[in-house]
């Protein structure tokens, strides 16, 4: 048998209270080994307190060519940002 | 460097697309795997990242040679950690290359068949414990020279791998210099070993940057694409300027009678390495080329049953889980 082990994406929570963040990927035959390998490859220096591994094939990603239709509509909605509103200084911090 | 003489590939793409692509790079944008890129950019990167990854992996061999013979338990633990880091660095880089559409097994196969190269430096033997010091100090030092600017490379996954690697690499150089300090301040015999290691590793380290690329079209293309940031000569000069004072601090002599501070250029003048030796090593005639590939070949073959068994184990467990549901 010469099939390659599937690819897994690794996410690590750096500290308590932070989100898990994507740090890279690796190959492993199953989730358990992916977890073991992730520990060895991505946390040799105390980089995390928690690890997620997800099969890369199970991730649905937005396509780069959809960048326009996906994200541009929010560009014109400046009123979603606090700086859109002029509040007089007398009112104080808001 | 870890990637030496990487030939850039020509692109037969639509000129308008090429121009738009170049504009993105000039604007400092990162290129991500699924975005459009010229075929030449993709192929050059596969070759460069692959060569870099192979260098990390083969680079474990000369150092692994001393793990069982490290002089103290502490030095042994340090060396183990360093060699483990090199394996990690190889894995980060293989993953970056894989995002360009080449598989891990294909890359391994290309290394073993000689179709992909690794850095010439790892074809030199580590004869004494002082060599482990020299490798960390000089070889990792030279690697850092190249890898620090590559953190800004245009290809996102490569840049991110470089950032991780650079964070860990400084330990490698410092532990090497620490060994050199110990040896240089030791008995006369130990100091002589340190000097001998410097003598043997100096020119091969200078070769790591590759021959002068002043007139190389490949370099010009790679620099335009920001997959090469500095010329080989710039990096080599920087390396010499940084390393000579460190050698002086150790009380060791750089084996170059022509070495002289040049006030005008604000750097050292130094002798070129013997480039015929460099080309000969690349061709496979270095002291350890055959050993290195044989060791990788054997590791690959010896590991085959493990890879198969683990795949089979995973398959059976998955099947059992389905049956239980």
């Amino acid at each position: 048998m010469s099939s390659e082990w599937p690819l897994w994406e690794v996410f690590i929570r750096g500290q308590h209270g932070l989100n898990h963040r994507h740090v890279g990927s690796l190959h492993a035959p199953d989730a358990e080994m992916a977890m073991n390998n992730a520990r060895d490859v991505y946390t040799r220096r105390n980089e995390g307190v928690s690890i997620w591994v997800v099969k890369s094939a199970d991730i649905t990603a937005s396509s780069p060519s959809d960048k326009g239709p996906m994200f541009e509509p929010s560009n014109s909605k400046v009123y979603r940002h606090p700086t859109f509103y002029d509040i007089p200084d007398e009112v104080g911090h808001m | 460097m870890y990637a030496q003489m990487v030939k850039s590939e020509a692109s037969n793409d639509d000129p308008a697309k090429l121009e738009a692509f170049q504009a993105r790079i000039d604007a400092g944008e990162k290129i991500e795997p699924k975005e459009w890129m010229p075929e030449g950019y993709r192929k050059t990167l596969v070759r460069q990242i692959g060569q870099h990854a192979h260098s990390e992996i083969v680079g474990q061999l000369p150092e692994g040679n001393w793990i069982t013979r490290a002089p103290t338990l502490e030095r042994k633990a340090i060396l183990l950690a360093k060699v483990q880091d090199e394996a990690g660095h190889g894995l980060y880089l293989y993953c970056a290359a894989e995002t360009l559409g080449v598989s891990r097994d294909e890359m391994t196969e290309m290394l073993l068949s000689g179709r992909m190269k690794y850095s010439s430096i790892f074809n030199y033997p580590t004869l004494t414990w002082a060599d482990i010091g020299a490798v960390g100090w000089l070889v990792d030092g030279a690697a850092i020279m190249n890898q620090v600017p590559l953190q800004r490379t245009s290809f996102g996954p490569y840049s991110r791998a470089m950032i991780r690697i650079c964070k860990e690499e400084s330990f490698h150089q410092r532990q090497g210099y620490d060994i050199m300090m110990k040896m240089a301040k030791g008995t006369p015999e130990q100091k002589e070993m340190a000097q001998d290691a410097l003598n043997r590793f100096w020119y091969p380290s200078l070769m790591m940057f590759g021959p002068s690329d002043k007139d190389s079209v490949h370099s010009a293309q790679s620099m335009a694409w920001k997959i090469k940031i500095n010329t080989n000569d710039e990096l080599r000069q920087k390396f010499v300027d940084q390393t000579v004072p460190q050698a002086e601090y150790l009380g060791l002599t750089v084996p170059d009678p022509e070495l002289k501070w040049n006030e005008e250029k604000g750097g050292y003048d130094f002798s070129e390495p013997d480039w015929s030796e460099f080309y000969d090593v690349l061709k496979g005639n270095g002291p350890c080329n055959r050993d290195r590939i044989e060791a990788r070949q054997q590791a690959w073959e010896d590991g085959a049953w493990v890879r198969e068994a683990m795949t089979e184990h995973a398959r059976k467990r998955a099947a059992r889980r389905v049956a239980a549901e």
Side-chain angles (χ1 to χ4, degrees):
Chain A
M1 197 192 311
S2 65
S3 60
E4 259 183 83
W5 292 343
L7 195 65
W8 301 74
E9 301 300 325
V10 181
F11 299 80
I12 290 180
R13 186 198 297 284
Q15 287 169 40
H16 288 291
L18 296 184
N19 287 321
H20 282 76
R21 238 181 108 187
H22 183 245
V23 293
S25 47
L26 49 77
H27 289 273
D30 57 21
E32 195 185 338
M33 281 311 297
M35 186 61 80
N36 286 339
N37 292 351
R39 172 188 170 273
D40 287 345
V41 179
Y42 291 103
T43 64
R44 289 193 301 280
R45 289 178 177 78
N46 248 333
E47 284 93 338
V49 294
S50 162
I51 302 176
W52 290 347
V53 289
V54 185
K55 255 194 197 155
S56 310
D58 290 338
I59 291 181
T60 308
S62 66
S63 146
S65 57
D66 287 345
K67 212 154 92 188
M70 283 280 262
F71 305 111
E72 268 161 27
S74 71
N75 277 348
S76 57
K77 298 176 179 60
V78 283
Y79 46 82
R80 287 182 171 171
H81 296 279
T83 45
F84 180 73
Y85 306 93
D86 279 328
I87 305 288
D89 287 348
E90 299 95 281
V91 179
H93 177 72
M94 185 181 282
Chain B
M1 191 29 45
Y2 274 20
Q4 293 158 325
M5 305 190 63
V6 176
K7 235 176 81 194
S8 68
E9 296 268 351
S11 287
N12 299 313
D13 294 292
D14 175 10
K17 274 181 148 179
L18 283 176
E19 206 176 303
F21 180 79
Q22 189 61 49
R24 290 192 61 199
I25 290 186
D26 294 343
E29 279 184 43
K30 294 279 185 240
I31 309 301
E32 296 298 338
K34 286 188 178 154
E35 293 169 346
W36 184 86
M37 62 184 80
E39 221 18 61
Y41 179 84
R42 180 188 303 276
K43 283 187 183 159
T44 309
L45 268 177
V46 166
R47 194 176 292 162
Q48 178 173 332
I49 302 174
Q51 197 181 113
H52 195 156
H54 295 324
S55 298
E56 301 282 357
I57 298 300
V58 176
Q60 295 177 98
L61 297 170
E63 297 191 292
N65 183 35
W66 280 90
I67 289 176
T68 56
R69 292 176 285 163
T72 67
L73 191 55
E74 188 186 56
R75 291 285 186 201
K76 181 172 174 160
I78 292 170
L79 188 55
L80 265 172
K82 180 177 190 287
V83 172
Q84 194 190 3
D85 272 357
E86 306 299 0
H89 296 176
L91 295 182
Y92 306 155
L93 287 159
Y94 280 133
C95 284
E98 282 174 85
T99 65
L100 292 161
V102 59
S103 82
R104 180 79 57 97
D105 282 4
E106 281 173 291
M107 280 187 283
T108 304
E109 195 280 317
M110 284 194 277
L111 168 70
L112 297 179
S113 67
R115 278 188 295 144
M116 271 177 118
K117 301 281 182 209
Y118 54 91
S119 175
S120 58
I121 189 73
F122 302 117
N123 291 312
Y124 291 87
T126 45
L127 303 176
T128 73
W129 174 249
D131 287 8
I132 298 303
V135 166
W137 172 36
L138 301 173
V139 176
D140 289 283
I144 290 170
M145 283 283 138
N146 188 50
Q147 288 169 344
V148 166
L150 274 177
Q151 293 178 103
R152 293 180 281 117
T153 188
S154 60
F155 186 55
Y158 192 25
S159 157
R160 292 190 285 275
M162 278 296 122
I163 290 170
R164 291 194 71 86
I165 289 175
C166 284
K167 263 190 206 154
E168 300 178 346
E169 200 79 61
S170 169
F171 143 58
H172 296 182
Q173 193 186 14
R174 290 172 69 118
Q175 67 84 36
Y177 196 71
D178 188 63
I179 292 174
M180 293 305 275
M181 286 197 300
K182 198 85 173 175
M183 301 291 285
K185 286 183 194 147
T187 63
E189 289 82 1
Q190 285 171 322
K191 187 169 180 185
E192 204 178 309
M193 278 168 75
Q195 180 63 56
D196 172 58
L198 172 57
N199 291 350
R200 282 181 291 106
F201 276 94
W202 176 254
Y203 286 106
S205 299
L206 296 187
M207 289 178 202
M208 286 176 69
F209 299 95
S212 179
D213 51 7
K214 281 195 289 281
D215 311 312
S216 161
V217 266
H218 298 305
S219 290
Q221 177 60 78
S222 288
M223 287 178 93
W225 278 335
K226 288 195 192 155
I227 56 185
K228 184 181 173 97
I229 312 286
N230 304 91
T231 68
N232 297 348
D233 290 322
E234 277 167 12
L235 291 171
R236 188 170 13 250
Q237 181 70 53
K238 217 172 149 196
F239 174 74
V240 171
D241 292 346
Q242 180 190 290
T243 308
V244 169
Q246 294 168 350
E248 282 166 2
Y249 179 85
L250 293 172
L252 301 179
T253 310
V254 172
D256 179 0
E258 307 299 323
L259 186 80
K260 211 171 78 220
W261 177 255
N262 180 332
E263 192 61 51
E264 210 171 300
K265 76 170 177 184
Y268 287 91
D269 291 331
F270 56 93
S271 304
E272 292 272 311
D274 175 0
W275 290 113
S276 64
E277 177 183 320
F278 171 76
Y279 289 112
D280 212 32
V281 171
L282 281 197
K283 252 186 262 155
N285 303 322
C288 299
N289 294 58
R290 200 180 315 161
D291 281 3
R292 300 300 185 229
I293 289 299
E294 268 173 18
R296 289 314 306 152
Q297 183 80 47
Q298 198 189 343
W300 183 243
E301 284 165 12
D302 289 353
W305 72 268
V306 181
R307 294 191 296 275
E308 280 171 33
M310 288 175 74
T311 306
E312 190 53 19
H313 177 68
R315 191 191 63 78
K316 274 191 189 158
R317 286 224 320 195
R320 220 174 291 142
R321 234 183 348 259
V322 172
E325 271 165 13

